Amino acid sequence: MASFSAAPAHILPGITAPASTRRRAPSIAASVCPSTASTRQIGLSSLALTPKTNSASNSRVSCSSREAKPSKHSPFILRFLVSPKSIAVASAAGILFHVANPFLGKISFIGGGGGGSGHGGSGGSGGGGSGGAQGDDFWRFLSPEAVAKDDDSQQEWDSHGLPANIVVQLNKLSGYKKYKLGEIFFFDRRRGTTIGSEDSFFEMVSLRPGGIYTKAQLQKELETLATCGMFEKVDLEMKTNPNGTVNIKIPFLESTWQSADKFRCINVGLMAQSKPMEMDPDMTEKERLEYYMSQEQEYRMRIDGSRPCLLPTPVQKEILMMLRDHGKVSARLLQRIRDKVQQWYHENGYACANVVNFGNLNTKEVVCEVVEGDITDVVIQFQDKLGNVCEGNTRLSLINRELPRQLSPGLVFNIEEGKQALRNINSLGLFSNIEVNPRPDEQNEGGIIVEIKLKELEQKSAEVSTEWSLVPGRGGYPTLASIQPGGTVSFEHRNIKGLNRSLLGTVTTSNFLNPQDDLAFKLEYVHPYVDGIYDPQDRTFKVSCFNSRKLSPVFTGGPGIEEVPPIWVDRMGLKANVTENFTRHSKFTCGLVMEEITTRDESSHISSNGQRVLPSGGVSADGPPTTLSGTGVDKMVFLQANITRDNTKFVNGAIVGERNVFQLDQGVGIGSRFPVFNRHQLTVTKFHQLLDVKEGAGKPPPPVLVLHGHYGGCVGDLPSYDAFTLGGPYSVRGYNMGELGAARNILELAAELRIPVRNTHAYVFAEHGNDLGSSKDVKGNPTEVYRRVGHGSSYGIGAKLGLVRVEYAVDHNSGTGSFFFRFGERF
C-alpha cells in the first residue's frame, strides 16, 4: 500500500510539492508544502471552500508512487502553486452589477463568491484561496464537479476484476484501467474514528463518489494530500466491492503545532511577493541555520511592513478565545479561524477578501494573512450599441462625482459601494446600460480594478402618442366626421455638452383638428451643477413655460346633490427655480412663479362664478366666485419653496422608510387685487417594516404599516381654485374628488397595513379628512353651496394588481361601499 508521510515539525526538514503537483494549478484550490522544524507559515488554499478540478477530467497527469523529496527551498514557508492574481480572478469573476433598460434601467446583481490560490516566495509570502462557499448556486452550477458529473455519465469504466471485500494497495492497481469509486471516507488515526463528509477535510479532496479515475490520478491525489501541510501522515487504501467499484479510505494523522495566546490579522494584498531562494542540499548545519534565520527575519520584516486588516477587534478577540480554549493549534482549528474571518468579510460586503496564509505557527502568535481586495484603479469605459469601446459624450468628471468615496483607489472593494455607484449613475438618466465590474489587476498582485461600462442613450429623441375619441354627431350617433384625433407630441435633447443639461418639450391635446380648445404644452430647460461639477452645494437651475387645463374639485357637489356643472382651470405662465441637494435623501427648492389663471365652463367660456342646476333644469351662474378678481381671470406672481427628505428604499419590492415634504407659497402683492398670502403644506409618511426578512432575488417582501398625515393651511388672500379640497383617491378614499369640501385649513390622517401575497400585496386601510371648521372662510363658501359636510372617514380593503389598485371602500358618512379602480400609488 502506497503512502506518504510528513513527519512532525521537530523531525523533518521542509518538503515542497513536486513539479507534477504544480501542474495541477487549474484547480481553484491548490496544495501547499508541509510544516517543518522552523516553519513559521502555512497556506490554507487547499482548505478553501471552493470548487476543485476533478481528477477524472480528460487531462491525465501521472506521477510515480514514491516518497516526497526534501525541498531545496526554504523550510520556513509553505508555498502556494498559483499567484494571488488568481484570487482576484476567482473573487471578481462572480461579481457583476448590471443595468439594462432603454429608458429608466432595471437594476440587477449577480453575485458569486470567489476563491483562488496563490504562490508565495520565501520569507513568509504566499497567496491562497477561499471563500467560494459564498457563491451558492452560481458557483455550484459552474463548478468543475458539476461539469465532470456530466462527463462521467458519458465515460466507460473497468471493473477491478478482484475478489470482493479485500484491501488493495495503490501500487498494485492496473495502470490501464479506469476505476469507479464507491464510498470515500477519512479515518482519524489519533481519534480512532471515521469522520463524515461534513468535515472540512473533505474540501481538500477532488475525488468524489461515482467518479472515474486512473491509477495515476489516484497517486496524484495522494501526493497532493501528503504535501498540503495538514497531515503528519496520510495514506490511501482501496477496498473492492462486489459490483466492480472500489471504496476509498484515507487514514491520517492531523498536523498540530504548539499552543498560541496571540492572534494578529494583516492585509498583504498589494505586497510584493518574495522570490524563493534555492537551498543547497550540501549546506553545513551552520549554513542551514543561517539560511533559516535569514528567512525568518525576512518574514518578520514582511509582517512589520504589512497593513492592519479590517477585521474588527471583537471578532479578533473571539478568535483569540478559540486559540486559548483549543490548546494546541491544529489544521481544523485553522480552518475554523479562516471560516470565521472570511464570514465577517463576506457578510459585510467584502466579496474579494480571502484568507491566504497563516504564519508564525509553532510560536505564541498566529498571524492571519488576508488579501482584502484593494482597489488600484477605477476605469470608465463607454460602449456603443454593439458593445464596442467608443468615445462617450458624457464628461468623465460627471461620472466620477457619482462614485461613492469608498470606491476609490487605495480602499477595499465592497459590494454595497458598487451597488451604490450603480444606483447613483443610473439616477442621471443618461445611460441605457450600466455595468460595475471588478476584475484582477494584472500589474499589482491582489489588487482590484473596478471597470464601469456605460452605454449612452441617444441625445435627441422624439415621441408621438395618439388617441382617438368618438363624439356624438347629429341624431346622437357618431359619424366619420366626429372622430377626434388626440395625443401627445414630446421631444428631448438630453446631456447637452456632456454635462447632463437637457431641453424637454411636450404638447398635448384631445383634438389635433381643433387644438385651441384644450391645447396644453410645457417647455423645460434643466441646468445642473450651476456652481461646478464638484461644488458641494450641488445646485440645479430649472426654467419652464407651461399651459395646462385641469378640472377644479372645488366646484363639486356633495352626496345627494344633482350634478354640478364643471369649472375648468387654465394656467399659463413661467416658472424658474433652483434646487440644492443637501444629501442623497434631502433637497431644497426655491423659485418664482408667474402665471395667468383663467376659469372656464364646459363650453370653454370664461366663467367668473360657479354654476348650479336649478330645480327647473336650468343652470344658474350665481355660485361662488371662481377667481380673486371676480372676472374669471387672475394674474399672479408668488414665491415657492419646498424641502423634501426621502430615505425610502425597496426591500424585496416593498417600500420602507420615511418621506417628509414641506411646501410654502408666498404671495408678494403682484397681480390681480395685489394678492398677499401664505399657503403652506406639510406631508409626513412613514413606511414601517413590521418583520425583518432576508433580502435577495425571489425572497418574500415584509409586511408594512403605512402611517400618513397631511396638513394644509392658508393665511391672506385665497382664490377658490387654490383652496384645499377633501376627498378622492389621494385624499380620503371612498369619496369623489372634493366631495367632502373645500377649505382654508385641512387635516388628513391615514393608516394602511400591507400584507404580501404571492407577487403582490393586499391591504386594509382607514382614513379621515377634516376642514377644521375653515370651509366658511373660503370666498363664497363652496362647501355649503354644494351641500358638502366638510369632514368624512372611510375604511376598506384592496389589492395591488400590477399598476392598478383594486379597492373596496366604505363611505362612513353614508355607510355605503363601492369598488374603485385606481392607477398608481396612494402614498
Side-chain angles (χ1 to χ4, degrees):
M1 174 172 54
S3 66
F4 289 95
S5 300
H10 62 281
I11 298 177
L12 276 185
I15 300 176
T16 187
S20 59
T21 304
R22 287 191 191 89
R23 286 193 293 270
R24 198 170 174 265
S27 170
I28 293 178
S31 56
V32 293
C33 311
S35 58
T36 63
S38 301
T39 296
R40 292 290 183 268
Q41 177 175 349
I42 181 169
L44 279 186
S45 65
S46 59
L47 306 182
L49 299 178
T50 53
K52 291 175 277 293
T53 304
N54 197 299
S55 300
S57 59
N58 292 332
S59 57
R60 300 177 60 182
V61 181
S62 61
C63 63
S64 59
S65 174
R66 68 182 191 280
E67 293 286 337
K69 301 296 182 183
S71 171
K72 295 182 180 181
H73 300 154
S74 165
F76 288 91
I77 303 123
L78 300 178
R79 275 170 289 280
F80 291 95
L81 305 181
V82 184
S83 73
K85 293 179 183 178
S86 61
I87 300 172
V89 172
S91 298
I95 304 170
L96 174 66
F97 304 93
H98 183 248
V99 171
N101 189 285
F103 296 102
L104 299 180
K106 179 180 179 182
I107 300 176
S108 62
F109 167 70
I110 303 174
S117 50
H119 176 73
S122 59
S125 59
S130 52
Q134 303 298 324
D136 298 332
D137 294 334
F138 178 78
W139 269 116
R140 287 197 292 271
F141 178 72
L142 297 178
S143 67
E145 286 90 340
V147 178
K149 184 175 182 179
D150 294 335
D151 293 341
D152 287 346
S153 63
Q154 307 295 331
Q155 292 186 19
E156 295 181 357
W157 57 280
D158 305 304
S159 173
H160 53 68
L162 300 171
N165 300 318
I166 64 171
V167 176
V168 182
Q169 296 181 6
L170 179 59
N171 57 6
K172 297 298 183 181
L173 295 179
S174 171
Y176 301 99
K177 287 187 176 183
K178 296 181 180 180
Y179 295 93
K180 185 173 183 179
L181 302 188
E183 297 180 351
I184 301 174
F185 54 92
F186 278 79
F187 179 77
D188 191 335
R189 293 180 183 272
R190 186 171 286 116
R191 300 179 182 178
T193 58
T194 299
I195 64 176
S197 58
E198 71 281 355
D199 193 278
S200 55
F201 278 151
F202 274 85
E203 301 170 14
M204 303 163 56
V205 184
S206 63
L207 304 177
R208 60 184 178 82
I212 300 171
Y213 305 90
T214 63
K215 175 183 177 181
Q217 290 171 326
L218 296 174
Q219 288 175 321
K220 168 73 181 308
E221 189 70 24
L222 175 58
E223 189 174 354
T224 299
L225 292 174
T227 57
C228 74
M230 295 294 99
F231 307 109
E232 293 180 7
K233 184 176 182 181
V234 62
D235 301 325
L236 196 67
E237 299 178 355
M238 263 110 355
K239 187 175 182 180
T240 58
N241 292 324
N243 60 359
T245 63
V246 294
N247 292 339
I248 296 290
K249 179 181 178 182
I250 306 175
F252 68 91
L253 284 176
E254 182 181 358
S255 293
T256 58
W257 299 267
Q258 73 177 59
S259 60
D261 56 10
K262 294 181 181 179
F263 176 78
R264 183 177 180 184
C265 182
I266 59 176
N267 180 7
V268 297
L270 298 179
M271 297 184 67
Q273 303 298 319
S274 302
K275 295 182 179 180
M277 296 175 60
E278 295 291 332
M279 184 177 70
D280 190 345
D282 298 327
M283 283 183 179
T284 64
E285 290 298 324
K286 180 179 179 181
E287 290 173 335
R288 284 176 180 268
L289 181 60
E290 291 176 350
Y291 174 80
Y292 294 153
M293 292 181 64
S294 67
Q295 296 299 298
E296 184 172 7
Q297 183 179 7
E298 182 179 345
Y299 181 58
R300 176 55 57 185
M301 293 176 60
R302 174 180 172 82
I303 293 178
D304 294 339
S306 64
R307 295 169 293 159
C309 66
L310 298 175
L311 195 68
T313 301
V315 180
Q316 296 195 38
K317 288 183 178 179
E318 291 182 26
I319 295 174
L320 183 58
M321 292 301 299
M322 292 169 58
L323 287 170
R324 291 175 177 175
D325 294 342
H326 194 274
K328 284 190 174 183
V329 178
S330 65
R332 282 191 179 90
L333 177 61
L334 294 180
Q335 288 178 312
R336 288 169 53 201
I337 294 175
R338 176 213 61 190
D339 292 342
K340 190 168 191 65
V341 171
Q342 292 187 160
Q343 179 184 9
W344 181 86
Y345 275 100
H346 296 160
E347 286 180 351
N348 288 274
Y350 300 101
C352 295
N354 291 278
V355 174
V356 295
N357 275 328
F358 283 97
N360 268 14
L361 300 178
N362 271 343
T363 69
K364 289 296 185 180
E365 180 184 51
V366 172
V367 177
C368 177
E369 297 187 11
V370 182
V371 172
E372 294 183 326
D374 297 271
I375 300 174
T376 56
D377 197 9
V378 177
V379 178
I380 299 174
Q381 188 180 94
F382 294 96
Q383 296 179 332
D384 59 20
K385 293 181 179 180
L386 300 178
N388 301 315
V389 178
C390 65
E391 184 176 353
N393 176 61
T394 308
R395 297 193 185 183
L396 294 181
S397 55
L398 187 64
I399 307 301
N400 288 325
R401 76 177 303 277
E402 299 298 329
L403 300 181
R405 183 179 179 183
Q406 187 67 26
L407 204 69
S408 304
L411 300 177
V412 179
F413 177 79
N414 188 285
I415 283 180
E416 295 305 319
E417 299 301 325
K419 290 180 179 179
Q420 186 62 52
L422 186 146
R423 288 190 291 264
N424 292 351
I425 297 173
N426 188 54
S427 67
L428 295 174
L430 300 177
F431 307 101
S432 62
N433 190 78
I434 305 171
E435 292 181 14
V436 179
N437 184 26
R439 66 172 176 83
D441 187 346
E442 299 296 334
Q443 304 299 323
N444 298 283
E445 294 186 344
I448 294 292
I449 294 178
V450 179
E451 283 186 342
I452 300 176
K453 299 180 180 180
L454 307 170
K455 290 183 181 178
E456 294 179 301
L457 291 168
E458 294 291 339
Q459 273 194 277
K460 300 177 182 179
S461 62
E463 182 178 345
V464 178
S465 60
T466 59
E467 57 184 31
W468 298 82
S469 59
L470 298 177
V471 297
R474 293 182 179 179
Y477 296 98
T479 63
L480 185 61
S482 67
I483 298 178
Q484 291 185 354
T488 301
V489 178
S490 61
F491 67 91
E492 180 177 4
H493 187 179
R494 62 174 64 86
N495 205 14
I496 299 172
K497 293 186 177 181
L499 292 172
N500 201 20
R501 300 169 186 172
S502 59
L503 181 66
L504 308 92
T506 59
V507 178
T508 303
T509 180
S510 61
N511 186 4
F512 279 121
L513 301 179
N514 194 18
Q516 66 270 20
D517 287 346
D518 65 345
L519 183 67
F521 66 84
K522 183 177 182 180
L523 182 64
E524 181 178 72
Y525 172 71
V526 181
H527 187 112
Y529 321 118
V530 174
D531 303 297
I533 289 181
Y534 292 109
D535 189 275
Q537 288 185 305
D538 189 18
R539 295 191 296 182
T540 299
F541 173 72
K542 185 184 297 184
V543 60
S544 61
C545 58
F546 57 88
N547 180 35
S548 65
R549 169 175 288 192
K550 291 184 178 179
L551 183 66
S552 174
V554 173
F555 303 93
T556 300
I561 195 173
E562 296 293 333
E563 183 178 353
V564 175
I567 295 294
W568 295 86
V569 179
D570 292 352
R571 295 177 186 263
M572 180 175 65
L574 181 70
K575 181 178 181 180
N577 60 46
V578 175
T579 299
E580 180 177 347
N581 293 316
F582 294 145
T583 66
R584 290 285 177 188
H585 304 294
S586 62
K587 63 181 180 180
F588 172 73
T589 301
C590 61
L592 179 70
V593 180
M594 297 182 293
E595 60 181 2
E596 181 183 86
I597 304 98
T598 305
T599 54
R600 301 179 182 273
D601 58 22
E602 56 186 340
S603 301
S604 294
H605 298 137
I606 295 176
S607 178
S608 59
N609 293 85
Q611 300 176 343
R612 294 182 299 122
V613 177
L614 300 175
S616 62
V619 177
S620 172
D622 60 351
T626 57
T627 59
L628 192 64
S629 64
T631 63
V633 179
D634 278 351
K635 295 180 180 179
M636 193 175 299
V637 177
F638 61 93
L639 301 176
Q640 187 176 76
N642 72 70
I643 185 168
T644 301
R645 181 180 179 273
D646 186 350
N647 64 1
T648 56
K649 64 177 182 177
F650 286 97
V651 177
N652 299 338
I655 187 170
V656 299
E658 189 172 351
R659 183 188 302 123
N660 303 323
V661 181
F662 176 72
Q663 180 171 319
L664 180 69
D665 298 340
Q666 179 64 55
V668 294
I670 301 176
S672 304
R673 294 269 183 109
F674 309 103
V676 177
F677 58 86
N678 180 280
R679 186 168 57 248
H680 45 273
Q681 300 181 68
L682 175 64
T683 302
V684 178
T685 308
K686 172 71 174 180
F687 301 88
H688 183 65
Q689 182 175 341
L690 298 179
L691 182 66
D692 291 332
V693 296
K694 186 175 181 180
E695 297 185 43
K699 302 295 183 180
V704 176
L705 175 64
V706 185
L707 300 176
H708 172 80
H710 174 238
Y711 169 78
C714 182
V715 178
D717 299 317
L718 177 67
S720 297
Y721 49 77
D722 279 337
F724 297 104
T725 58
L726 290 169
Y730 305 104
S731 176
V732 181
R733 285 173 280 190
Y735 300 91
N736 295 324
M737 292 282 292
E739 185 180 343
L740 290 176
R744 274 183 174 268
N745 304 292
I746 63 167
L747 178 65
E748 296 173 353
L749 299 174
E752 181 174 289
L753 178 62
R754 298 176 176 178
I755 307 297
V757 179
R758 295 191 177 181
N759 296 326
T760 183
H761 66 262
Y763 54 89
V764 295
F765 63 88
E767 299 184 335
H768 175 76
N770 199 300
D771 65 2
L772 304 177
S774 64
S775 293
K776 63 181 182 299
D777 299 325
V778 178
K779 198 171 183 179
N781 196 355
T783 298
E784 182 179 6
V785 170
Y786 296 116
R787 300 179 187 177
R788 293 174 287 187
V789 296
H791 59 82
S793 302
S794 67
Y795 56 89
I797 61 174
K800 188 73 182 297
L801 304 178
L803 298 177
V804 179
R805 287 186 287 129
V806 181
E807 297 175 342
Y808 179 80
V810 176
D811 172 353
H812 191 264
N813 288 350
S814 63
T816 59
S818 303
F819 280 98
F820 297 88
F821 295 85
R822 309 290 189 186
F823 285 93
E825 296 288 346
R826 163 65 176 91
F827 306 105

